[in-house]
Amino acid sequence: MFLSRSSSGLSLSRRAVRSFSSDRREWKVYLSGEIHSDWREVIAKGVADKNLPVTLTSPNTSHEDSDDCGAIILGMEEKRPNWDKIGANMNNIRTKTLIKEADVVVVRFGEKYRQWNAAFDAGYAAALGKSIITLHPPAISHMLKEVNASASVVCEDATQVVDTLAYVIDGTLPDTPRDGDAFIPIADRLGKGNPNP
């Protein structure tokens, strides 16, 4: 697909195959972070709507279950730090396994709560050399500058994550650029990249 500008605005046209693969590889995408909004569902619906070969995984998103799993299975502890540790250790089995298996790790940070676990997941994924996509509102970009520096892509909303996955997996771009009619292809805006082809 390529963008062309006409009197009626921008349009996308098929010109050439943008990516090639002889098989339909199944991508594993781990969704880490904030559990108080529907961002995971938006990504899951977008992946399904675009028929992308993606398996989505995540930590246990039930806050209560995540806190109490260790005590429910192993027995209650008398002190909060011990209670938290046995639950965290149990959750860590899932988190470490799924991040290690992931091709891409999406880390969502929201404005309302501090997501220390999400920051830890991003660091762990970076240490493993995983491709990271961060997802957060622009208002908290400064606080996440080091995390974003390790990310391949920084998104503001879940649809951008879906569009990124679609592009990475099969070369598909959205029908409309994020900037709409104001979008100008780089060669038109800044000139051709190699002046001496």
Side-chain angles (χ1 to χ4, degrees), residues 86-136:
I86 62 173
N89 285 348
M90 203 167 280
N91 290 318
N92 196 31
I93 295 169
R94 178 181 180 89
T95 300
K96 283 172 57 177
T97 300
L98 294 176
I99 289 175
K100 281 181 187 175
E101 291 177 353
D103 299 301
V104 178
V105 177
V106 178
V107 187
R108 162 75 176 158
F109 296 91
E111 289 182 275
K112 188 173 181 182
Y113 300 99
R114 292 185 179 123
Q115 290 95 38
W116 307 118
N117 58 328
F120 183 85
D121 289 354
Y124 184 61
L128 292 173
K130 299 296 179 175
S131 295
I132 300 169
I133 299 173
T134 57
L135 170 60
H136 59 78

Side-chain angles (χ1 to χ4, degrees), residues 35-112:
I35 62 171
H36 303 285
S37 67
D38 69 347
W39 69 275
R40 285 181 179 86
E41 290 77 13
V42 171
I43 291 173
K45 182 179 183 326
V47 163
D49 289 349
K50 292 181 182 285
N51 195 30
L52 296 175
V54 170
T55 298
L56 299 172
T57 59
S58 74
N60 183 334
T61 58
S62 165
H63 199 156
E64 295 79 13
D65 290 354
S66 176
D67 284 350
D68 291 334
C69 62
I72 290 170
I73 294 168
L74 302 175
M76 293 189 299
E77 292 287 329
E78 293 300 318
K79 296 183 179 180
R80 177 68 190 239
N82 296 341
W83 192 296
D84 286 345
K85 181 163 178 39
I86 62 173
N89 285 348
M90 203 167 280
N91 290 318
N92 196 31
I93 295 169
R94 178 181 180 89
T95 300
K96 283 172 57 177
T97 300
L98 294 176
I99 289 175
K100 281 181 187 175
E101 291 177 353
D103 299 301
V104 178
V105 177
V106 178
V107 187
R108 162 75 176 158
F109 296 91
E111 289 182 275
K112 188 173 181 182

Side-chain angles (χ1 to χ4, degrees), residues 184-197:
I184 301 169
I186 192 169
D188 295 342
R189 183 172 176 168
L190 301 174
K192 296 195 182 287
N194 184 356
N196 301 310

